[in-house]
Amino acid sequence: MSIDQTTVVKIAHLARLKIPTEEQKQVAGELNKILEWITQLDEVDVTAVEPMSSVNDVPLRWRDDIVTDGDKMADIMTNAPAKTADFFTVPKVVE
Amino acid sequence: MSDLTDISVTEALVGLAGKKFSAVELAKAHIAAMESARALNAFITETPKLAMKQAIESDARRAAGRAGAMDGIPLGIKDLYCTKDVRTTAASHILGEFTPTYESTVTQKLFDAGCVMLGKTNLDEFAMGSSNITSYFGPAISPWSGKDPVKANRKLVPGGSSGGSSAAVAGRFAMAATGTDTGGSIRQPASFTGIVGMKPTYGRCSRWGIVAFASSLDQAGPMTRTVADAALMLRVMAGFDSKDSTSVDQAVPDFVTALGTSIKGMKIGIPREYRIDGISAEIDNLWQKGAAMLRDAGAEIVEISLPHTKYSLAVYYIIAPAEASSNLARYDGVRYGLRVPGENLINMYENTRAEGFGKEVRRRILIGTYVLSAGYYDAYYLKAQKVRRCIRNDFEEAFKKCDAILTPTAPSTAFAIGEKQDDPIQMYLNDVFTVPLNLVGLPGISVPVGLGSDGLPLGLQLIGRAFDEMTLFKAASALEKAANFNHKPPFMAGT
């Protein structure tokens, strides 16, 4: 499973990261080196091993379904790079 | 250097209580030290005005008999903790001038205990690194310099990612500092700079308000000059928080009571597989010396086996980037931070993220996106999660035979800025001894034990059972006492 330039373009787009054409080959090389190093995991027999996604095996806590926070519009807008009144603004998305 | 900047937190609290000096005097001495140490680039943002205000309030509380557990202690806060009304950068360009309107749970707890904030310390961008070199604000520099001819004339790294914190604490311009540890980011810089670094059990400290890197691995912890200070500070930082769903509702013991108690009969495990290829004779000797110190203090040394440890780094470099690629998706230039214009919305996202993230962060986002993408998820991500469980099973078996485990903290002393930068994998290997703990959530502490032949500090790591930091502090305090590490860096602020 080796990454070529097309794959770099694809995953870069999935990650919404612009990678200039002249850098794509180099990036592919770097990623391949890391993935090659990772293939050492193929040595491990994981038949019948359950995947572990968290160190806490306990189910997540429940809490009452009540509002505990809110009314923070001013706080939320404080760091906006561009806004109009109480709205974040972005480039036009609807023609 | 004033006497006030060379004392420990524990000593400072005695001095404050005995009216030998005030919190204002302590803050002033540290602010002057911090300003004199700017060449080390350990702080991204200095907050001297806030520090003075907090120090005045601290003196007032003490006069009124209401002093908290760490009242008046001047700290560096890693710039990954959100601090209300103080710019928080994660050492990334993408956060721009982001200024939180809220306080992280851990910093709030420290302030509630009376701590004084000197400023926000430097780190690797989004805590991704082992050198502090990837910071958008430039590398932090170690107060140490080696006598090795290659290193003597070069600036050394303070380790990473909590490099500004380690440099400031070792260089005597913060009395202690907060760190965060996702793969070794508290313990490795502690080892590189001759200080104590403690990563508690996952779930012990709230992650709320700390910029997320890899949520199943991230933990906050103290960086201090003594084990006693780490015990004191962790007690303040720890505790259940309903705002972090992985925070664990367990009583926080008074860790300080563990210090100096006998370790007679304690079983210390030495994992045979940690003698990895390429470990230097020097590190190996120090490790054996450390084991002998604990044996002389009454512990029993037992050999244990952690056969899957060698896969930890490979597992880590799938899981951490996968979680990071997901966590960092929020930086899109819409709601906060940097925005780079584009002809449409997608272009704006892509331009913002390309310009806002540094090279290492981009590399990890791409790896993470790849291992989570359709067709590769099972081969990489799921496989890594399964090996992760094998690593945990190893530790469970090992802890049937011992109470704590002793290993080196890092495979070498500090390297120079510019070294190991061409090959990411060489850099990743720094964390070979520290990463397994994050994968399984166990607590670990690095204690400075000696100097290498190049004159630079080396630490040893003790690993404990989940939520058994008491045993860890007990063993660490015995190791600290026996090692009697009293070397100081050539650079000490204000001298």
Side-chain angles (χ1 to χ4, degrees):
Chain A
M1 284 178 278
S2 156
I3 294 185
D4 55 16
Q5 210 171 327
T6 321
T7 317
V8 168
V9 173
K10 191 185 142 204
I11 56 175
H13 178 68
L14 285 174
R16 300 291 185 269
L17 268 178
K18 186 177 167 187
I19 298 180
T21 318
E22 62 273 17
E23 285 177 29
Q24 289 165 1
K25 253 202 178 127
Q26 197 205 330
V27 170
E30 286 172 7
L31 298 186
N32 277 323
K33 234 174 134 180
I34 295 169
L35 291 173
E36 202 178 298
W37 173 67
I38 283 170
T39 55
Q40 56 178 288
L41 295 184
D42 294 345
E43 295 165 21
V44 189
D45 179 9
V46 290
T47 338
V49 178
E50 282 293 308
M52 173 177 162
S53 54
S54 163
V55 301
N56 298 336
D57 276 337
V58 289
L60 288 177
R61 262 188 325 278
W62 290 71
R63 67 166 177 83
D64 293 334
D65 187 14
I66 48 165
V67 176
T68 57
D69 205 353
D71 288 331
K72 298 234 166 99
M73 187 152 70
D75 280 1
I76 290 165
M77 298 306 294
T78 303
N79 285 287
K83 59 183 168 183
T84 302
D86 292 330
F87 298 96
F88 297 111
T89 54
V90 294
K92 199 170 167 185
V93 284
V94 183
E95 288 303 324
Chain B
M1 184 190 65
S2 77
D3 293 343
L4 292 183
T5 54
D6 195 30
I7 55 177
S8 70
V9 172
T10 310
E11 289 164 341
L13 288 170
V14 172
L16 286 165
K19 299 196 167 51
K20 294 240 165 54
F21 45 82
S22 66
V24 165
E25 287 169 304
L26 212 51
K28 276 185 179 160
H30 281 85
I31 291 166
M34 174 171 72
E35 287 171 352
S36 77
R38 281 185 185 145
L40 299 190
N41 199 27
F43 283 87
I44 290 175
T45 307
E46 295 179 357
T47 55
K49 272 189 197 152
L50 175 64
M52 286 309 296
K53 177 177 166 277
Q54 289 173 325
I56 290 166
E57 289 166 1
S58 170
D59 283 332
R61 273 192 304 271
R62 199 171 285 281
R66 293 186 288 109
M70 286 181 72
D71 228 304
I73 301 299
L75 300 181
I77 300 294
K78 187 178 183 179
D79 204 12
L80 202 63
Y81 290 72
C82 286
T83 40
K84 191 174 188 313
D85 300 331
V86 177
R87 181 179 71 154
T88 298
T89 71
S92 181
H93 186 31
I94 206 153
L95 271 154
E97 291 298 313
F98 175 67
T99 305
T101 53
Y102 51 86
E103 190 70 45
S104 86
T105 298
V106 167
T107 45
Q108 187 63 55
K109 280 174 179 282
L110 288 164
F111 294 147
D112 288 347
C115 288
V116 168
M117 181 167 87
L118 296 165
K120 306 293 293 286
T121 59
N122 206 344
L123 65 150
D124 281 293
E125 184 179 0
F126 282 105
M128 296 181 190
S130 311
S131 62
N132 209 131
I133 287 169
T134 70
S135 168
Y136 174 70
F137 299 90
I141 295 158
S142 174
W144 288 86
S145 37
K147 54 183 185 189
D148 177 301
V150 184
K151 289 177 180 170
N153 297 315
R154 297 179 67 177
K155 289 171 178 164
L156 301 180
V157 303
S161 66
S162 313
S165 290
S166 66
V169 175
R172 269 70 180 170
F173 51 104
M175 195 166 262
T178 60
T180 63
D181 192 313
T182 304
S185 285
I186 286 175
R187 294 158 287 156
Q188 182 257 21
S191 179
F192 275 17
T193 57
I195 64 168
V196 175
M198 165 58 147
K199 181 202 94 73
T201 312
Y202 184 82
R204 184 63 103 177
C205 293
S206 170
R207 294 180 296 108
W208 193 84
I210 298 174
V211 175
F213 162 12
S215 305
S216 81
L217 309 167
D218 298 342
Q219 255 300 289
M223 301 175 78
T224 57
R225 292 195 287 263
T226 68
V227 173
D229 288 1
L232 183 76
M233 189 166 160
L234 179 60
R235 193 183 183 200
V236 172
M237 294 170 73
F240 175 66
D241 177 16
S242 60
K243 289 189 281 193
D244 172 1
S245 64
T246 59
S247 166
V248 174
D249 197 356
Q250 277 229 14
V252 179
D254 184 357
F255 302 119
V256 174
T257 60
L259 306 171
T261 54
S262 168
I263 61 162
K264 203 165 168 27
M266 188 187 287
K267 287 187 177 151
I268 304 287
I270 304 287
R272 69 172 81 97
E273 294 86 358
Y274 274 49
R275 294 215 154 72
I276 51 158
D277 297 341
I279 183 171
S280 71
E282 187 169 276
I283 304 267
D284 201 36
N285 285 340
L286 183 88
W287 189 12
Q288 292 185 26
K289 229 169 91 184
M293 288 174 190
L294 292 171
R295 190 188 305 118
D296 292 345
E300 186 189 334
I301 305 298
V302 292
E303 194 183 68
I304 55 160
S305 174
L306 297 167
H308 292 91
T309 281
K310 61 175 174 173
Y311 301 110
S312 295
L313 274 176
V315 169
Y316 180 83
Y317 277 97
I318 294 173
I319 288 175
E323 294 187 16
S325 71
S326 167
N327 271 326
L328 271 55
R330 73 190 68 178
Y331 303 102
D332 57 7
V334 174
R335 291 153 299 155
Y336 43 78
L338 178 76
R339 172 183 292 196
V340 178
E343 54 200 58
N344 56 40
L345 185 61
I346 299 280
N347 284 149
M348 188 196 87
Y349 292 153
E350 291 182 339
N351 294 343
T352 299
R353 290 165 63 80
E355 191 170 320
F357 292 130
K359 201 173 173 198
E360 180 63 23
V361 175
R362 288 201 301 267
R363 184 185 289 138
R364 295 200 196 188
I365 290 174
L366 291 173
I367 285 280
T369 306
Y370 182 69
V371 301
L372 290 176
S373 65
Y376 301 101
Y377 182 91
D378 286 6
Y380 290 111
Y381 188 65
L382 205 63
K383 175 94 190 194
Q385 284 189 317
K386 289 178 177 176
V387 181
R388 186 179 186 183
R389 186 172 298 277
C390 297
I391 295 166
R392 174 152 83 181
N393 292 345
D394 283 358
F395 275 101
E396 279 174 3
E397 280 305 307
F399 276 115
K400 287 178 185 163
K401 291 188 193 147
C402 63
D403 305 303
I405 297 170
L406 182 74
T407 76
T409 305
S412 72
T413 55
F415 45 90
I417 290 176
E419 271 185 85
K420 303 190 190 216
Q421 272 183 279
D422 304 332
D423 182 0
I425 293 170
Q426 277 306 309
M427 187 65 86
Y428 298 169
L429 289 174
N430 263 291
D431 297 328
V432 64
F433 300 121
T434 48
V435 144
L437 283 67
N438 298 80
L439 291 173
V440 300
L442 297 178
I445 186 167
S446 178
V447 179
V449 170
L451 294 182
S453 56
D454 55 6
L456 297 173
L458 280 166
L460 289 177
Q461 170 180 250
L462 282 155
I463 308 168
R465 292 189 181 98
F467 295 101
D468 190 15
E469 285 90 353
M470 285 298 267
T471 300
L472 214 44
F473 277 121
K474 220 188 231 189
S477 124
L479 185 62
E480 177 186 50
K481 190 176 165 212
N484 190 27
F485 183 94
N486 50 21
H487 307 283
K488 289 179 180 180
F491 175 92
M492 301 236 275
T495 50

